[in-house]
Amino acid sequence: MKRGVGGGQLTDSDVYLGEPLPCPQETKDMAPKKAKRRAAAEGGSSNVFSMFDQTQIQEFKEAFTVIDQNRDGIIDKEDLRDTFAAMGRLNVKNEELDAMMKEASGPINFTVFLTMFGEKLKGADPEDVITGAFKVLDPDGKGTIKKQFLEELLTTQCDRFSQEEIKNMWAAFPPDVGGNVDYKNICYVITHGDAKDQE
């Protein structure tokens, strides 16, 4: 049996992303002000990591890395502009980027990024969340995304789809004759299941 600080039993919540626990002497000598500064340096809210499992945290880290175009550990306005450009959306207005940056209380490091997602996802309808993610890729609000664009994103970014997965997706959600994919239908099926499956 593992023993923690003060002789108590260790639990999974005692481990913070694989970092060792402070030794008893360190904890005893740590003044309240020093502890507060340490918590602030870790991003202010360490319990944000308890909202997600390790797989989700890793996926958020990959997304953060994709957006942090200059790899300085902070997402800034230029990172957002470059990310939009990489997705084919050029000439994003400064006002739009400013509005996105104002959603954070300060510089957007990974902990702040994770906290922002935690706040957005808390109490939200999963269908709305998924639809919102697709809407980022649909700036004109048409309710559709070009098949070629979506396929390129799914095969080149983060958790990449295999050719078999792409084939299965197009079989389940065939694009229209113009090559447009109805993402609202995809969101509905993801969150509610396919009507055919329920028969």
Side-chain angles (χ1 to χ4, degrees), residues 101-156:
M101 293 303 298
K102 285 180 185 171
E103 288 188 38
S105 58
I108 305 173
N109 62 19
F110 178 65
T111 304
V112 171
F113 181 79
L114 196 60
T115 302
M116 290 171 68
F117 271 94
E119 289 169 357
K120 294 273 186 192
L121 294 173
K122 194 184 224 177
D125 177 23
E127 186 175 358
D128 291 343
V129 172
I130 296 167
T131 303
F134 274 107
K135 282 182 179 177
V136 169
L137 305 174
D138 179 25
D140 300 327
K142 296 177 185 174
T144 61
I145 300 173
K146 287 288 185 188
K147 173 190 176 212
Q148 183 179 357
F149 176 63
L150 185 58
E151 187 170 317
E152 182 180 332
L153 283 176
L154 293 174
T155 57
T156 62

Side-chain angles (χ1 to χ4, degrees), residues 7-32:
Q9 186 175 351
L10 285 177
T11 65
D12 288 342
S13 64
D14 292 325
V15 179
Y16 175 72
L17 292 179
E19 295 178 12
L21 293 169
C23 68
Q25 187 64 34
E26 224 181 292
T27 309
K28 190 188 252 183
D29 294 341
M30 193 182 292

Side-chain angles (χ1 to χ4, degrees), residues 56-163:
Q56 290 172 311
I57 291 171
Q58 182 59 37
E59 288 172 354
F60 281 120
K61 185 66 176 171
E62 288 174 13
F64 180 86
T65 303
V66 168
I67 298 169
D68 182 20
Q69 295 280 310
N70 63 7
R71 304 293 188 256
D72 66 353
I74 303 288
I75 294 175
D76 59 24
K77 197 162 124 175
E78 289 308 310
D79 289 325
L80 291 177
R81 185 182 311 282
D82 293 344
T83 301
F84 275 114
M87 294 186 331
R89 184 166 173 217
L90 305 174
N91 303 321
V92 180
K93 294 179 182 169
N94 278 328
E95 297 79 29
E96 189 176 352
L97 296 173
D98 289 336
M100 289 180 193
M101 293 303 298
K102 285 180 185 171
E103 288 188 38
S105 58
I108 305 173
N109 62 19
F110 178 65
T111 304
V112 171
F113 181 79
L114 196 60
T115 302
M116 290 171 68
F117 271 94
E119 289 169 357
K120 294 273 186 192
L121 294 173
K122 194 184 224 177
D125 177 23
E127 186 175 358
D128 291 343
V129 172
I130 296 167
T131 303
F134 274 107
K135 282 182 179 177
V136 169
L137 305 174
D138 179 25
D140 300 327
K142 296 177 185 174
T144 61
I145 300 173
K146 287 288 185 188
K147 173 190 176 212
Q148 183 179 357
F149 176 63
L150 185 58
E151 187 170 317
E152 182 180 332
L153 283 176
L154 293 174
T155 57
T156 62
Q157 302 295 318
C158 296
D159 192 11
R160 297 177 180 137
F161 275 41
S162 68
Q163 285 305 313

